[in-house]
Amino acid sequence: MKKRIGILTAGGDCPGLNAAIRGVVRASYHMFDAEIIGIRDGYRGLIEGDFSRMEESQFSNILTRGGTILGTSRTPFSQMRGPNSQGFDKIDEMKRNYRAMKLDCLVTLGGNGTHKTASLLSEEGLNVIGLPKTIDNDIAGTDYTFGFHTAVEIATDVIDRIHTTAASHGRVMVVELMGNKSGWLTLYAGVAGGADVILLPEFPYDIHKVAEVVNERVMQKKFFTIIAVAEGAMDKEESEMGRKKREAARTESPYNSISHRIAAQLEEICGVEARSVVPGHIQRGGTPCAYDRVLSTEFGTHAARMILEDHYGVTMAVKGRSIIANPLKDVAGVAKPVLWDGPLATSARDINISFGV
Ligand code: F6P
């Protein structure tokens, strides 16, 4: 029997989305009689009925392509229950369009926000399967999300390049990496790139402890220091403020990002020359690394198997070397923070990397 599969990609893009789409589609065509409906720009397309039937040829030659061939958008979960521009409930509209497309299931590729909406749609009776993507690697129940390892490669390359110029000039270099709520990317790239200090949202720091590292290195005649900081890192004072107050304080601050502030503070405290570097969305761009192509393909093919078995309300995950399916209701929106006693944070401390605490 033919199965009509709707696919959408939602939230911030990342490398590996096209490889995952390809995995779902190729395995579906291979395993059963499949028809694919591409939904444009994430949940926006599902709410507004912006979709089209896709041909098999449209999924050729996309394995290595960055971004997403389906487009994406951010529709915050908090606004999902509200009315759309015509005054209709967005969830009702999505259910209506799902029926209009005559879908047997909906495959959603996204991060925590996407998973929360996917779980809600599943509770509302739709057949939904999730695939976890994000460079932040902060989705509960899976060791890794696709996109993460590519971003780690890019961020590590940034730190490597910063190393040589930092050493030549004897400067403190503060490299600000993506991760508003989660420090996985900064932790991995910081360790891989040989950073001296790693500052994460999970471990509020003390700028004087960071300054101690810089001063100690100067005493050892190491005149440069590399600091990897996640964009959402905060000092101890900020961590006690609560999110709204902290964001307001940042908006009023003369520094346009955390790395600028840290560089200025260290110049002041240590009397050194400091610079900040913000690679920004470069970390989400370009072709996926081999690991992400493999993981995306594994998630995609496992999702196709779930469709074949009519096993819905789940999201794909990797645990050790196994690909598994976690119930959406158990993991949707559940954060996966870096833990102080986790293996990599422990290894980092063991080689004398400071977390500024
Ligand atoms: O995809 C996650 C993420 O990269 C975060 O690390 C970052 O804060 C956010 O997206 C920024 O995304 P955008 O600028 O696209 O809203």
Side-chain angles (χ1 to χ4, degrees), residues 276-336:
S276 58
V277 176
V278 187
H281 291 78
I282 289 170
Q283 294 161 94
R284 288 210 323 235
T287 188
C289 67
Y291 180 92
D292 277 333
R293 294 180 205 179
V294 171
L295 186 64
S296 299
T297 303
E298 287 183 310
F299 281 162
T301 55
H302 205 73
R305 198 157 293 115
M306 296 291 104
I307 297 169
L308 176 66
E309 293 168 6
D310 289 320
H311 185 152
Y312 301 117
V314 290
T315 184
M316 304 304 101
V318 57
K319 279 278 160 200
R321 268 316 294 149
S322 301
I323 305 294
I324 59 167
N326 287 323
L328 271 169
K329 64 176 173 32
D330 293 349
V331 296
V334 180
K336 186 184 70 174

Side-chain angles (χ1 to χ4, degrees), residues 7 20-30 34 36 56 59 300 304:
I7 303 189
I21 292 170
R22 171 182 175 272
V24 176
V25 171
R26 278 179 74 136
S28 297
Y29 285 137
H30 186 69
I36 307 295
E56 195 167 353
F59 302 102

